[in-house]
Amino acid sequence: MLGMREIRRRIRSVNSIQQITQAMQMVAVSRLKRAKERLRSARPYAEKIQELMESLAPSLPQIEHPLVAKREPLRIAVVLVTSDKGLSGAFNANIIQYAHRFIEEHSDKEIKLFLVGKKGYDFFGRRSYPIEYYLPQVSRDISPQEVKEISNSFVQGFEKGLHDEVYLFYTQFRTVMNTIPTQTKLLPIESPGAESQQGAAELIYEPSAEEIMNELLPRYIEAQIYKGLVESSASEHASRMISMKNATDNAEEMIRTLTLSYNKARQASITKEIIEVTTASEALKYARES
Amino acid sequence: MDEPQFCLEVVTLKKLIFSGLVEGLTAPGSVGYFGILKGHTPFVSSLQSGIFTLTVTRGERETMAISGGFLLTDGNKVIVLADSAEAPDEIDLKRARASRDRAQRRIRESPPDLDVPRAKASLARALTRLKAAGAS
């Protein structure tokens, strides 16, 4: 058994670890709350732009736009969203593994990486994949400029024909306990819900269907990236919150067992002292009598 | 006559700006301002930066500065997808002035790397904001 002093020291250190994990848990809770709020307020735009895309879908096939160009997929761009900070459980590992599996399944193709977040860069930077773009640190309330920058990084390459397909990998937020690594095909844009609505073809376009598309398609991509970033940040905080809660609970448990063994050690030493005293006095008594 | 109101939703990437019934609106289309009343024919337009006005009920108006986006209507409801939309009291005058001055300076000095359409768009956005806020 450990000595009392040793046990006391360990209790102290576990205690300070617990304080840290508890603080991180609290921070994650409040960040998660904000991220969920952002997720909720990002939903209308995503829905409306989808609606707009659908109502324009009937005219989409007739339009020749570089962003809808289908090519033989020889070079694939992978856009991966991870977090910058660790201590969030399996959050980064899950999404990185998910993307890595996809990359290995397509090992006959040329893969290019577009990384958002430090953790993805840490993983793929050590491997021999060409990293075309890397954005470390997305600001806490994701700005439209950042979204634009990310989307420009691969849209231009796609227009020039440097890659033939673009996939976005991010962690979808369902509930706190349920976050799912997800992939979406960003480019080429496929006409959503081709079942054309009645009367959609009678739309009047101003200035013209083609120019509307020119403006709409990049924004459609941006909306998807924004959604990916928001979902990913909500998932990250949810995951950190859970893992920090577990860490706090574990520390609590550890303090309990350590306190128990501390008490036992203390009791043992008291008993030992009493035994020493009584044996000594018994011995003295015996010596006097004889 | 039927109720002259129709449903309007204004959204940006970040949030829902407005949702409710209005009697009419005018929007800065990319080929000029246009108005919409109930029963408009199905219509899609891209927008440029400008002042978006909506009439909630007769005489009661709201304005906002918007910069780029789309407007879609099917006759009963109107959806506006704006790149940004701000009510006059949300506009940061100091920032708008600073970005106006910066854009004007860049256009005047016209350095070789100047992205002219971008500088002009940025100037237009700043001027719209100032105009919507009723300042200069």
Side-chain angles (χ1 to χ4, degrees), chain B residues 19-47:
Chain B
S19 172
L21 291 171
V22 297
E23 286 189 352
L25 62 87
T26 57
S30 48
V31 289
Y33 278 86
F34 59 84
I36 285 190
L37 294 170
K38 189 182 178 166
H40 198 286
T41 185
F43 172 69
V44 184
S45 174
S46 56
L47 303 174

CSV table of all heavy atoms in Angstrom, one decimal, chain B residues 19-47:
chain,number,residue,atom,x,y,z
B,19,SER,N,-39.5,37.7,-41.4
B,19,SER,CA,-40.4,36.7,-41.8
B,19,SER,C,-41.8,37.2,-41.4
B,19,SER,O,-42.0,37.5,-40.2
B,19,SER,CB,-40.2,35.4,-41.2
B,19,SER,OG,-41.2,34.5,-41.5
B,20,GLY,N,-42.7,37.5,-42.4
B,20,GLY,CA,-44.0,38.0,-42.0
B,20,GLY,C,-44.8,38.4,-43.2
B,20,GLY,O,-44.3,38.3,-44.4
B,21,LEU,N,-45.9,39.0,-43.0
B,21,LEU,CA,-46.8,39.5,-44.0
B,21,LEU,C,-46.5,40.9,-44.4
B,21,LEU,O,-46.3,41.8,-43.5
B,21,LEU,CB,-48.2,39.4,-43.6
B,21,LEU,CG,-48.8,38.0,-43.5
B,21,LEU,CD1,-50.1,38.0,-42.9
B,21,LEU,CD2,-48.8,37.3,-44.8
B,22,VAL,N,-46.4,41.2,-45.7
B,22,VAL,CA,-46.2,42.6,-46.1
B,22,VAL,C,-47.1,42.9,-47.2
B,22,VAL,O,-47.7,42.0,-47.9
B,22,VAL,CB,-44.7,42.9,-46.6
B,22,VAL,CG1,-43.7,42.7,-45.4
B,22,VAL,CG2,-44.3,42.0,-47.7
B,23,GLU,N,-47.3,44.2,-47.5
B,23,GLU,CA,-48.2,44.6,-48.6
B,23,GLU,C,-47.4,44.8,-49.9
B,23,GLU,O,-48.0,44.7,-51.0
B,23,GLU,CB,-48.9,45.9,-48.2
B,23,GLU,CG,-50.0,45.7,-47.2
B,23,GLU,CD,-50.9,46.9,-47.0
B,23,GLU,OE1,-50.5,48.0,-47.5
B,23,GLU,OE2,-51.9,46.8,-46.3
B,24,GLY,N,-46.1,45.2,-49.8
B,24,GLY,CA,-45.4,45.4,-51.0
B,24,GLY,C,-43.9,45.6,-50.6
B,24,GLY,O,-43.5,45.7,-49.5
B,25,LEU,N,-43.1,45.5,-51.7
B,25,LEU,CA,-41.7,45.8,-51.4
B,25,LEU,C,-41.0,46.3,-52.7
B,25,LEU,O,-41.5,46.2,-53.8
B,25,LEU,CB,-41.0,44.5,-51.0
B,25,LEU,CG,-41.0,43.3,-52.0
B,25,LEU,CD1,-39.8,43.4,-53.0
B,25,LEU,CD2,-40.9,42.0,-51.2
B,26,THR,N,-39.9,47.0,-52.5
B,26,THR,CA,-39.0,47.3,-53.6
B,26,THR,C,-37.7,46.8,-53.4
B,26,THR,O,-37.2,46.8,-52.2
B,26,THR,CB,-39.0,48.8,-53.9
B,26,THR,OG1,-38.5,49.5,-52.7
B,26,THR,CG2,-40.3,49.4,-54.3
B,27,ALA,N,-37.0,46.3,-54.4
B,27,ALA,CA,-35.7,45.6,-54.2
B,27,ALA,C,-34.8,46.1,-55.3
B,27,ALA,O,-35.2,46.4,-56.4
B,27,ALA,CB,-35.9,44.1,-54.3
B,28,PRO,N,-33.5,46.1,-55.0
B,28,PRO,CA,-32.5,46.6,-56.0
B,28,PRO,C,-32.1,45.4,-56.9
B,28,PRO,O,-31.1,44.7,-56.6
B,28,PRO,CB,-31.3,47.0,-55.1
B,28,PRO,CG,-31.4,46.2,-53.9
B,28,PRO,CD,-32.9,45.9,-53.7
B,29,GLY,N,-32.8,45.2,-58.0
B,29,GLY,CA,-32.5,44.1,-58.9
B,29,GLY,C,-31.2,44.5,-59.6
B,29,GLY,O,-30.8,45.6,-59.7
B,30,SER,N,-30.6,43.5,-60.2
B,30,SER,CA,-29.3,43.8,-60.9
B,30,SER,C,-29.4,44.6,-62.1
B,30,SER,O,-28.5,45.1,-62.6
B,30,SER,CB,-28.5,42.5,-61.1
B,30,SER,OG,-29.4,41.6,-61.8
B,31,VAL,N,-30.7,44.7,-62.6
B,31,VAL,CA,-30.9,45.6,-63.8
B,31,VAL,C,-31.7,46.8,-63.3
B,31,VAL,O,-32.2,47.5,-64.2
B,31,VAL,CB,-31.5,44.9,-65.0
B,31,VAL,CG1,-30.5,44.0,-65.6
B,31,VAL,CG2,-32.8,44.2,-64.6
B,32,GLY,N,-31.9,47.0,-62.0
B,32,GLY,CA,-32.6,48.2,-61.6
B,32,GLY,C,-33.6,47.9,-60.5
B,32,GLY,O,-34.0,46.7,-60.4
B,33,TYR,N,-34.0,48.9,-59.8
B,33,TYR,CA,-35.0,48.6,-58.7
B,33,TYR,C,-36.3,48.1,-59.3
B,33,TYR,O,-36.7,48.6,-60.4
B,33,TYR,CB,-35.3,49.9,-57.9
B,33,TYR,CG,-34.2,50.2,-56.9
B,33,TYR,CD1,-33.0,50.8,-57.2
B,33,TYR,CD2,-34.4,49.8,-55.6
B,33,TYR,CE1,-32.1,51.0,-56.2
B,33,TYR,CE2,-33.5,50.0,-54.6
B,33,TYR,CZ,-32.3,50.6,-54.9
B,33,TYR,OH,-31.4,50.8,-54.0
B,34,PHE,N,-37.0,47.3,-58.6
B,34,PHE,CA,-38.3,46.8,-59.0
B,34,PHE,C,-39.2,46.7,-57.8
B,34,PHE,O,-38.7,46.6,-56.7
B,34,PHE,CB,-38.3,45.5,-59.8
B,34,PHE,CG,-37.7,44.4,-59.1
B,34,PHE,CD1,-38.4,43.6,-58.2
B,34,PHE,CD2,-36.3,44.1,-59.2
B,34,PHE,CE1,-37.9,42.6,-57.5
B,34,PHE,CE2,-35.8,43.0,-58.5
B,34,PHE,CZ,-36.5,42.2,-57.7
B,35,GLY,N,-40.5,46.7,-58.0
B,35,GLY,CA,-41.5,46.5,-56.9
B,35,GLY,C,-42.2,45.2,-57.1
B,35,GLY,O,-42.4,44.7,-58.2
B,36,ILE,N,-42.7,44.7,-56.0
B,36,ILE,CA,-43.5,43.5,-56.0
B,36,ILE,C,-44.7,43.7,-55.1
B,36,ILE,O,-44.7,44.2,-54.0
B,36,ILE,CB,-42.7,42.3,-55.6
B,36,ILE,CG1,-41.7,41.9,-56.7
B,36,ILE,CG2,-43.6,41.1,-55.2
B,36,ILE,CD1,-41.0,40.6,-56.5
B,37,LEU,N,-45.9,43.3,-55.7
B,37,LEU,CA,-47.1,43.3,-54.9
B,37,LEU,C,-47.7,41.9,-55.0
B,37,LEU,O,-47.1,41.0,-55.7
B,37,LEU,CB,-48.1,44.3,-55.5
B,37,LEU,CG,-47.8,45.8,-55.5
B,37,LEU,CD1,-48.7,46.6,-56.3
B,37,LEU,CD2,-47.8,46.3,-54.0
B,38,LYS,N,-48.8,41.7,-54.3
B,38,LYS,CA,-49.3,40.3,-54.2
B,38,LYS,C,-49.8,39.9,-55.7
B,38,LYS,O,-50.2,40.7,-56.4
B,38,LYS,CB,-50.5,40.3,-53.3
B,38,LYS,CG,-51.0,38.9,-53.1
B,38,LYS,CD,-52.2,38.8,-52.3
B,38,LYS,CE,-52.6,37.4,-52.2
B,38,LYS,NZ,-53.6,37.1,-51.1
B,39,GLY,N,-49.6,38.6,-56.0
B,39,GLY,CA,-50.0,38.1,-57.2
B,39,GLY,C,-49.0,38.4,-58.4
B,39,GLY,O,-49.4,38.3,-59.6
B,40,HIS,N,-47.8,38.7,-58.0
B,40,HIS,CA,-46.8,38.9,-59.1
B,40,HIS,C,-46.6,37.6,-59.8
B,40,HIS,O,-46.7,36.5,-59.2
B,40,HIS,CB,-45.5,39.3,-58.4
B,40,HIS,CG,-44.5,39.9,-59.3
B,40,HIS,ND1,-43.8,39.2,-60.2
B,40,HIS,CD2,-44.1,41.2,-59.5
B,40,HIS,CE1,-43.0,40.0,-60.9
B,40,HIS,NE2,-43.2,41.3,-60.5
B,41,THR,N,-46.3,37.7,-61.1
B,41,THR,CA,-46.0,36.5,-61.8
B,41,THR,C,-44.7,35.8,-61.3
B,41,THR,O,-43.8,36.5,-60.8
B,41,THR,CB,-45.9,36.8,-63.3
B,41,THR,OG1,-45.8,35.6,-64.0
B,41,THR,CG2,-44.7,37.7,-63.6
B,42,PRO,N,-44.6,34.4,-61.4
B,42,PRO,CA,-43.4,33.8,-60.9
B,42,PRO,C,-42.2,34.4,-61.5
B,42,PRO,O,-42.1,34.6,-62.7
B,42,PRO,CB,-43.6,32.3,-61.4
B,42,PRO,CG,-45.1,32.2,-61.4
B,42,PRO,CD,-45.6,33.5,-61.8
B,43,PHE,N,-41.2,34.7,-60.6
B,43,PHE,CA,-40.1,35.6,-61.0
B,43,PHE,C,-38.9,35.3,-60.2
B,43,PHE,O,-39.0,35.1,-59.0
B,43,PHE,CB,-40.7,37.0,-60.8
B,43,PHE,CG,-39.7,38.1,-61.0
B,43,PHE,CD1,-39.2,38.4,-62.3
B,43,PHE,CD2,-39.3,38.9,-59.9
B,43,PHE,CE1,-38.3,39.5,-62.4
B,43,PHE,CE2,-38.4,39.9,-60.1
B,43,PHE,CZ,-37.9,40.2,-61.3
B,44,VAL,N,-37.8,35.3,-60.8
B,44,VAL,CA,-36.5,35.3,-60.1
B,44,VAL,C,-35.6,36.4,-60.6
B,44,VAL,O,-35.5,36.6,-61.8
B,44,VAL,CB,-35.7,33.9,-60.4
B,44,VAL,CG1,-34.5,33.9,-59.6
B,44,VAL,CG2,-36.6,32.7,-60.2
B,45,SER,N,-35.0,37.1,-59.6
B,45,SER,CA,-34.0,38.1,-60.0
B,45,SER,C,-32.8,38.0,-59.1
B,45,SER,O,-32.9,37.7,-58.0
B,45,SER,CB,-34.7,39.5,-59.9
B,45,SER,OG,-33.7,40.5,-60.2
B,46,SER,N,-31.7,38.4,-59.7
B,46,SER,CA,-30.5,38.6,-58.8
B,46,SER,C,-30.5,40.0,-58.4
B,46,SER,O,-31.1,40.9,-59.0
B,46,SER,CB,-29.2,38.2,-59.6
B,46,SER,OG,-29.1,39.0,-60.8
B,47,LEU,N,-29.9,40.2,-57.3
B,47,LEU,CA,-29.9,41.6,-56.7
B,47,LEU,C,-28.5,42.2,-56.6
B,47,LEU,O,-27.5,41.4,-56.6
B,47,LEU,CB,-30.5,41.5,-55.2
B,47,LEU,CG,-31.9,40.8,-55.1
B,47,LEU,CD1,-32.2,40.7,-53.6
B,47,LEU,CD2,-32.9,41.6,-55.8
